[in-house]
Amino acid sequence: MKREIPLLITFIAGFLIVVALFIPHPPFNKIEETFNSWYIIVAGFTFILGIDSLILHNWEKIRRRSEGWPFALTVILSFFITLIWGIVSGVRTGHIFSTNSTFRNYFYLYIYVPLQATMFAILSFFIASAAYRAFRARTLNATLLLLTASIVMLGRVPLGNVALIPVISIAVLMLLWVLVDELKYVTSPTQRLIYIGIAVVAVVAAFPITKFLYHNLSPVTDWIMNVPQMAAKRGLFIGLALGGIAVSLRIILGIEQSYMS
Amino acid sequence: MHLSTSIWVWIAAFFTLAIFSFLYKDNPFYRFAESVFVGSSAAFAFLNLWFFDVKPKLWDPIAKGNILYVIIPLILSILMLTRFIPKIKWLSRWAIAFTVGMGAGLGITGMIQGYLVPQLKGTFLPLWVPGNLATTVNNWLLVFGTIFTITYFYFSKPIKGKFGVAAKIGIIFIMVAFGASFGYTIMARVSLLIGRVYFLLHTWLGMV
């Protein structure tokens, strides 16, 4: 009873939604519409469980006076202040996002937006530091990642082709530096010759490549986005879809039951 | 320089600078702003959920007297809250089962309609376009790039031999896609950074 009924509910809900995709006629389309509406309501209530966890976790920190407890208090206070402000403003004006809602005009514009935007903005600095680690072009894969990211970034901004000249110059200098550094540890004459060959090719090819990209940066970026990038994304999406369908089928058929624990 | 006289602009500037201060090192100003962000974000998400979903779909019909129309989701929602009562906690599984079942059903239909069929449809391209070599080459790259990428994620067979070569070509395509995504992510973050710096210099300090 404690397991069978939930499994039956899962099966009926999932099965009817899938059936409605293949038979979009009454009564299945009506059932799908009703179920979707119910789903939004019930899923909304799961949020209360999450809120409970957030409040209890922080309350426990305050109760035990553990390190940083004033910040736990700040979390709880800001939660309730925002909630009460939103409810009062929403009830008064009909909706939290009404043009005359103080919640929208003050909390949202001057507290929430600055906090969220700045939080994501500082990630640009950490991404730069991560990029330094990821982009040390030691392997073919890392070099490809570096090249694509650089071309896409420069190709999508004004005057990107002008900035390309110093970028390629620095890239070639870095490559030469890495090659010279590696050369110290290479003993085989053939390998030395290969390293020197790569360095000569990089220096010789740098000028025509820069010239070509300077005049064709935008079409090259479009080609990267529309052909190799698109091919990989398609492969990833097809894999994702097949995986998602397989997992969903396992849930509907009751093979996957981890959500019952 | 023309300093803003609005208290709200000063509050926004304080929070902006408090978060930027983390670039130097972790400090109480940053942790305060972070805590405010966590608490207010949770409340904001809850309010959004209430005003955009639960109120129009559950509360408004009840207020209009159409309780029968929403009786089943209402019961399921109440069952969800039984998780707080240990003795009848197991009843919350009924509500969870409904959301999981719906999620799985919508997952299948969404994946088929949103990803699988459109992507497969887009990959069925002519491998020979008379008089247009560039399109022919691009179509080859698109079709085989897609196949090789899928090959890389096929784990039921050891990745070696001809299969390994296909998977290695697949990883080249994947790296190009990741590079492009990385480039776009950096650009999005930098545009946010420009927005915040502009707010400080223009709206708050009135320098530009």
Side-chain angles (χ1 to χ4, degrees):
Chain A
M1 171 90 168
K2 281 183 182 174
R3 291 189 82 83
E4 284 78 8
I5 290 179
L7 283 176
L8 191 68
I9 292 173
T10 305
F11 177 77
I12 291 170
F15 181 72
L16 285 176
I17 291 295
V18 176
V19 168
L21 172 74
F22 295 103
I23 314 171
H25 303 288
F28 296 105
N29 56 350
K30 198 77 193 154
I31 291 172
E32 186 198 16
E33 203 180 298
T34 312
F35 271 25
N36 274 330
S37 179
W38 291 2
Y39 176 56
I40 291 167
I41 298 167
V42 182
F45 275 75
T46 56
F47 199 81
I48 296 174
L49 306 181
I51 296 290
D52 170 66
S53 165
L54 176 82
I55 301 292
L56 281 185
H57 172 74
N58 283 287
W59 179 249
E60 200 57 26
K61 267 188 170 179
I62 298 166
R63 205 175 59 79
R64 289 185 182 171
R65 292 284 190 276
S66 49
E67 200 199 331
W69 69 268
F71 300 112
L73 183 66
T74 313
V75 171
I76 292 179
L77 281 178
S78 55
F79 174 80
F80 283 109
I81 291 170
T82 310
L83 192 68
I84 293 163
W85 192 351
I87 290 169
V88 171
S89 185
V91 168
R92 268 193 192 162
T93 58
H95 202 282
I96 45 168
F97 279 112
S98 303
T99 44
N100 55 344
S101 152
T102 56
F103 185 80
R104 171 192 174 274
N105 294 338
Y106 299 116
F107 166 78
Y108 184 71
L109 293 179
Y110 291 104
I111 297 175
Y112 188 71
V113 168
L115 280 170
Q116 193 187 39
T118 319
M119 201 57 98
F120 283 110
I122 59 166
L123 287 181
S124 60
F125 293 97
F126 299 116
I127 283 178
S129 123
Y132 171 73
R133 292 188 190 92
F135 286 176
R136 280 184 300 180
R138 297 271 171 169
T139 63
L140 174 69
N141 293 342
T143 313
L144 273 171
L145 201 84
L146 164 71
L147 274 176
T148 317
S150 309
I151 292 171
V152 166
M153 274 189 285
L154 293 171
R156 288 283 184 255
V157 291
L159 297 176
N161 54 347
V162 178
L164 191 79
I165 299 164
V167 168
I168 290 188
S169 311
I170 292 167
V172 170
L173 283 174
M174 278 173 70
L175 179 69
L176 290 177
W177 180 64
V178 169
L179 286 172
V180 169
D181 191 46
E182 293 282 321
L183 214 55
K184 281 187 238 164
Y185 309 103
V186 175
T187 46
S188 143
T190 327
Q191 251 187 325
R192 275 176 171 262
L193 212 63
I194 291 170
Y195 273 64
I196 294 165
I198 293 172
V200 171
V201 168
V203 172
V204 172
F207 180 70
I209 288 173
T210 313
K211 197 179 166 190
F212 174 76
L213 285 175
Y214 184 83
H215 294 292
N216 299 288
L217 190 58
S218 192
V220 168
T221 309
D222 289 341
W223 181 80
I224 288 173
M225 295 308 290
N226 294 333
V227 181
Q229 194 265 162
M230 181 68 81
K233 282 270 167 74
R234 276 197 183 142
L236 292 171
F237 284 152
I238 291 170
L240 176 80
L242 291 173
I245 292 168
V247 171
S248 299
L249 275 175
R250 281 174 64 89
I251 291 170
I252 291 173
L253 297 174
I255 302 165
E256 176 66 53
Q257 299 181 10
S258 55
Y259 65 92
M260 302 266 273
S261 54
Chain B
M1 195 158 136
H2 186 75
L3 272 176
S4 170
T5 50
S6 162
I7 181 76
W8 292 102
V9 170
W10 278 81
I11 290 171
F14 166 75
F15 281 128
T16 303
L17 290 173
I19 290 176
F20 274 140
S21 69
F22 186 71
L23 292 172
Y24 172 60
K25 67 174 185 181
D26 198 2
N27 64 77
F29 290 107
Y30 170 75
R31 293 196 68 190
F32 173 74
E34 186 196 35
S35 306
V36 172
F37 182 51
V38 171
S40 57
S41 293
F44 182 62
F46 186 77
L47 287 164
N48 255 336
L49 197 77
W50 172 259
F51 280 99
F52 284 100
D53 296 330
V54 180
K55 187 178 174 282
K57 288 192 188 301
L58 182 72
W59 184 255
D60 290 349
I62 293 172
K64 284 176 190 163
N66 299 330
I67 193 161
L68 276 178
Y69 179 72
V70 290
I71 192 80
I72 296 174
L74 182 66
I75 292 170
L76 285 173
S77 305
I78 292 165
L79 288 182
M80 183 74 83
L81 302 180
T82 57
R83 217 167 169 80
F84 297 122
I85 309 161
K87 269 192 177 175
I88 51 166
K89 192 180 163 184
W90 60 273
L91 278 171
S92 67
R93 280 183 188 168
W94 294 16
I96 291 169
F98 177 74
T99 55
V100 170
M102 281 297 293
L106 291 171
I108 291 179
T109 56
M111 288 295 174
I112 291 174
Q113 287 176 309
Y115 288 108
L116 196 60
V117 173
Q119 298 303 335
L120 284 174
K121 208 173 142 190
T123 314
F124 280 91
L125 295 165
L127 293 176
W128 175 247
V129 183
N132 196 337
L133 186 65
T135 311
T136 303
V137 172
N138 284 345
N139 286 357
W140 272 78
L141 286 171
L142 272 166
V143 172
F144 287 98
T146 307
I147 294 168
F148 292 150
T149 304
I150 296 171
T151 311
Y152 180 76
F153 291 103
Y154 188 77
F155 299 118
S156 303
K157 201 178 160 187
I159 298 179
K160 57 186 179 187
K162 283 177 188 169
F163 188 71
V165 174
K168 272 187 184 159
I169 299 171
I171 192 82
I172 291 173
F173 280 89
I174 293 168
M175 282 300 143
V176 171
F178 285 170
S181 300
F182 194 84
Y184 269 101
T185 309
I186 293 179
M187 284 171 69
R189 300 285 182 261
V190 170
S191 69
L192 279 171
L193 180 68
I194 293 167
R196 294 324 297 157
V197 172
Y198 182 74
F199 166 79
L200 289 175
L201 296 179
H202 175 77
T203 316
W204 183 44
L205 296 175
M207 282 168 71
V208 286

